[in-house]
Amino acid sequence: MHLQFTSGDDAAITLDVEVTHFIIAGWAGRDKDAVLHHIRELEALGVPAPGAVPLFYRVATNQLTQNQRLEVVGNETSGEAEPFVFRHREELWVSLISDHTDRHLETFSVALSKQACIKPVASSAWRMSELVDHWDALELTSWIKEQGEWVVYQQGTLSSLLTPQDLLARYLNGNTAQEGLAMSCGTLGTIGGIRPSSEFRMALHDPVLNRTLEHAYCTGALPVVA
C-alpha cells in the first residue's frame, strides 16, 4: 500500500512509502492497571479478554488510507488514536493512525474487527531518532463530535504505552525490521467509555520540539443488509 508523508517541519521533503507488512499491537500498555482498564472497557461491550498481552494482529495493507472521508458498514464503529511507526530508508519514522474498529464484530473476533475497517493515517511523519530521548513526553489526544460539539475522547502521554522499539522487538523475536514494515503501537483508554462517532480527530504533540501531527476524518454508514 502506497502512503505519502511530508517530513517533520520541512514540508518540502516528501516520503513515498510502500507498506508491505502491517501489524496492529493490541493491549500494548506499559502499566498493567491501564491495560486492565482497557480490557474491562471492551469486556463491557462483549469483547473477550486477550490470551496474551501484548497481542499482535496482522492486517491487510490495503486497509491503510490517508483519505478524510470513509465508509463503514453500520453504525457500531469507532476510532482509536495510536502512534504509527514504519521502516523507510533504513530508519524508523513516526506518524499517527486511527485503529478504526467494528465494535459489533469485535464481540465475535477481534482479528476480523480489525480487518473490517479502513485505518486512517496522518500525512506527516517524524524521524524516530528525533524522539527517542523524550518519547514518553509525547502527548496523544483524540476528539469525537457529539451533539455538534467536539469532546475529548482520549488523552495522555505515551509513557503509558510500551515503546515501538519494545513492541517491534517482541513481534520480530530478535529479527531486524525490514523496509515497508509498519505497526500501529497501541492506544489509550477512552474518557466516558467506547462509543461510536461519525467524526474523529486525533493529534500527537511533541512538547519538547513544539510540533504536532494531526489528522481528522468522518465516516458514512452503509446499510447492514441481511
Side-chain angles (χ1 to χ4, degrees), residues 24-121:
I24 294 176
W27 322 105
R30 199 181 306 180
D31 184 329
K32 292 182 180 179
D33 289 338
V35 173
L36 182 60
H37 172 73
H38 191 46
I39 289 172
R40 294 290 178 259
E41 277 187 321
L42 294 177
E43 280 186 326
L45 300 177
V47 180
V53 292
L55 208 56
F56 299 100
Y57 303 93
R58 281 290 306 275
V59 176
T61 60
N62 60 13
Q63 294 301 88
L64 297 168
T65 184
Q66 290 175 309
N67 293 335
Q68 293 182 296
R69 300 186 67 86
L70 313 180
E71 291 181 312
V72 296
V73 175
N75 295 298
E76 297 185 57
T77 71
S78 63
E80 292 183 349
E82 307 197 3
F84 177 72
V85 300
F86 56 93
R87 179 82 173 178
H88 180 65
R89 297 178 183 172
E90 300 184 352
E91 63 180 314
L92 281 179
W93 297 79
V94 178
S95 189
L96 184 62
I97 189 171
S98 174
D99 178 14
H100 202 88
T101 298
D102 186 312
R103 299 302 175 186
H104 177 66
L105 184 56
E106 194 172 36
T107 63
F108 301 96
S109 169
V110 175
L112 289 178
S113 73
K114 301 295 185 189
Q115 182 63 46
C117 295
I118 293 173
K119 312 300 183 187
V121 181

Side-chain angles (χ1 to χ4, degrees), residues 173-225:
N173 195 27
N175 296 316
T176 302
Q178 299 298 309
E179 186 84 359
L181 181 142
M183 179 179 282
S184 184
C185 296
T187 194
L188 306 175
T190 62
I191 299 169
I194 296 171
R195 54 203 188 274
S197 175
S198 62
E199 295 188 63
F200 190 86
R201 287 171 47 206
M202 55 185 173
L204 183 62
H205 178 64
D206 181 345
V208 174
L209 299 179
N210 193 28
R211 57 187 181 173
T212 304
L213 299 174
E214 297 178 286
H215 190 67
Y217 65 94
C218 61
T219 56
L222 301 174
V224 178
V225 179

